[in-house]
Amino acid sequence: MYTEVEPRNYHSAIVDVTDRCNLKCRHCYYYREEHESQELSKEELLNGIRALRDLHHIQHMSWAGGEPLMRREVLEEGVDMFQRNVINTNGLFPLPKWPRTNVWVSIDGPPEVHDYIRGKGTYARVIENVERSACDFVVFCSTINKLNAPHLDAMLEGLSRLKRTAVVFAFFTP
């Protein structure tokens, strides 16, 4: 028997701002198949997020993609709707410093491993953007997979010189 229930008090959500990305990473499932991009306009997306926020009492939003900073104009308005935000980025665009917003940057290993997975020169650009950033704190997020697992110690050693950073790990799910 189906019973009507009150909307739950969900406190956080994740939204894919775009399916577009400026990389084609070796482990990314998305580019293995053909997809037709059908993005909502900025207004449609923000109105939908606003409606879900109000219905479910969402207080924390994680902004993901593709590469969410490819739709920076959506994020600039969107982060103002929530008490806390996380931007999940590949780090190749300048990192934003917005109120109540943390930036999580993908990192896949020491330079040679990261570049093998994400593209030549990407590690150096990520580190440069983190070092230039005005963010109070940046979190590196490393997805452990068979390509980088043997190199995590070297990655941590390289990242340990950076100030105002931390590292978290996730596991690759095929």
Side-chain angles (χ1 to χ4, degrees):
M1 179 174 142
Y2 174 80
T3 311
E4 189 81 27
V5 294
E6 292 291 318
R8 292 191 173 149
N9 287 328
Y10 295 116
H11 299 288
S12 62
I14 300 172
V15 63
D16 284 347
V17 178
T18 183
D19 59 0
R20 291 180 292 130
C21 187
N22 53 334
L23 294 176
K24 289 190 178 179
C25 302
R26 291 182 181 272
H27 63 279
C28 184
Y29 63 89
Y30 191 79
Y31 289 104
R32 292 188 191 135
E33 302 171 359
E34 293 285 326
H35 297 278
E36 186 177 318
S37 182
Q38 296 181 351
E39 287 186 343
L40 297 173
S41 71
K42 179 178 96 170
E43 293 75 24
E44 291 170 320
L45 182 57
L46 291 174
N47 286 340
I49 291 169
R50 204 173 281 112
L52 290 171
R53 176 202 62 195
D54 296 345
L55 177 64
H56 297 292
H57 309 286
I58 297 170
Q59 300 166 6
H60 173 271
M61 181 58 75
S62 289
W63 305 87
E67 172 50 53
L69 289 175
M70 291 183 81
R71 293 195 74 188
R72 195 177 190 104
E73 74 286 356
V74 170
L75 299 178
E76 287 173 345
E77 276 188 53
V79 297
D80 288 337
M81 291 192 279
F82 298 95
Q83 293 175 16
R84 297 292 315 149
N85 298 275
V86 171
I87 309 292
N88 298 284
T89 177
N90 61 34
L92 296 183
F93 291 103
L95 304 181
K97 180 178 179 153
W98 292 321
R100 304 172 317 281
T101 302
N102 292 342
V103 177
W104 285 40
V105 176
S106 298
I107 199 86
D108 290 317
E112 64 281 358
V113 175
H114 181 88
D115 285 1
Y116 176 76
I117 293 171
R118 296 200 175 242
K120 185 175 180 174
T122 56
Y123 184 92
R125 284 182 54 198
V126 166
I127 298 304
E128 181 180 326
N129 281 334
V130 169
E131 289 176 330
R132 286 183 176 181
S133 167
C135 296
D136 296 329
F137 199 74
V138 173
V139 176
F140 287 108
C141 185
S142 182
T143 301
I144 299 172
N145 59 62
K146 66 182 179 180
L147 297 172
N148 68 3
H151 307 280
L152 298 179
D153 285 343
M155 178 189 75
L156 291 172
E157 185 176 324
L159 297 176
S160 67
R161 67 179 176 76
L162 299 171
K163 297 185 179 354
R164 305 174 291 118
T165 62
V167 179
V168 298
F169 293 96
F171 293 94
F172 176 72
T173 305

